[in-house]
Amino acid sequence: PTLVTDGVNGEAALLPPRYTIDEIRNNFNSSPSIFAWGEQFFTGGGAKTSPPRNEHEELFGAVGAKFEGVYRDSMRFSTWLCVALIVYSTTQIVFRDMAALYLHSANVGNPEGLVPELIVWIIFTASAVFQLSLAPTTFLNYCFVTSVEEYVKNDIVEEVMREEELCET
């Protein structure tokens, strides 16, 4: 939803979410043909096998109703790639190059390229550490996205509230 004011007398109006406006949604394509094949492959058929259950899920195209799993798997994949890059680059390249500089090793294949290589791999490692530091924020976004708008299953909320005696039947 969007909160707007008329600018004259300060009255505010709450507009509906943009994805509920039919004209905008009809012109929206979340799965352009260049990406559609990949979405179909990674979701096991996408919207054809798991059609969206509500308007919110329609926004995610081929991912459709499998949004939670696909987003969770992408976070796992990204996290493990970062960890792998950090482990590889520090143990196999950065430590080796630093040792060669510290020991003034004469058996370095390309002494002129040692410092630039070390700098580049330190930058790669630092960027992976930075990306890994974003994982908690990404996870919080995942939790937020899977619990807002029309994604909430009202029958489950009512059942929990009945169990907690917070809701009348």
Side-chain angles (χ1 to χ4, degrees):
T2 306
L3 184 65
V4 295
T5 61
D6 63 3
V8 178
N9 57 12
E11 290 186 25
L14 189 61
L15 300 177
R18 290 186 179 99
Y19 68 84
T20 60
I21 301 171
D22 290 332
E23 298 157 2
I24 294 174
R25 195 148 94 238
N26 290 339
N27 292 327
F28 179 72
N29 180 10
S30 66
S31 300
S33 59
I34 192 169
F35 300 113
W37 68 270
E39 291 176 342
Q40 296 289 329
F41 175 76
F42 287 112
T43 60
K48 294 177 183 170
T49 58
S50 298
R53 298 169 291 201
N54 54 46
E55 291 178 341
H56 189 263
E57 289 180 353
E58 285 179 19
L59 298 176
F60 296 101
V63 174
K66 295 186 175 196
F67 173 72
E68 290 174 312
V70 171
Y71 192 44
R72 182 187 59 241
D73 292 344
S74 72
M75 285 191 305
R76 286 180 185 163
F77 187 67
S78 175
T79 300
W80 283 111
L81 280 179
C82 285
V83 169
L85 176 62
I86 291 167
V87 169
Y88 171 76
S89 61
T90 55
T91 60
Q92 299 298 314
I93 298 174
V94 173
F95 289 159
R96 179 200 66 200
D97 288 356
M98 289 175 71
L101 281 175
Y102 179 73
L103 299 174
H104 304 289
S105 181
N107 60 357
V108 173
N110 182 7
E112 296 84 28
L114 185 63
V115 173
E117 178 183 271
L118 181 61
I119 291 170
V120 166
W121 280 99
I122 286 175
I123 291 170
F124 285 160
T125 305
S127 66
V129 169
F130 174 72
Q131 185 176 353
L132 197 57
S133 73
L134 296 176
T137 305
T138 305
F139 182 71
L140 287 174
N141 288 339
Y142 167 76
C143 292
F144 176 73
V145 165
T146 58
S147 63
V148 296
E149 295 285 337
E150 292 183 42
Y151 213 67
V152 175
K153 297 174 179 77
N154 290 329
D155 53 337
I156 294 173
V157 172
E158 289 172 6
E159 180 182 329
V160 170
M161 290 177 71
R162 269 194 298 280
E163 288 175 6
E164 298 293 324
E165 298 175 355
L166 298 171
C167 178
E168 296 177 13
T169 34

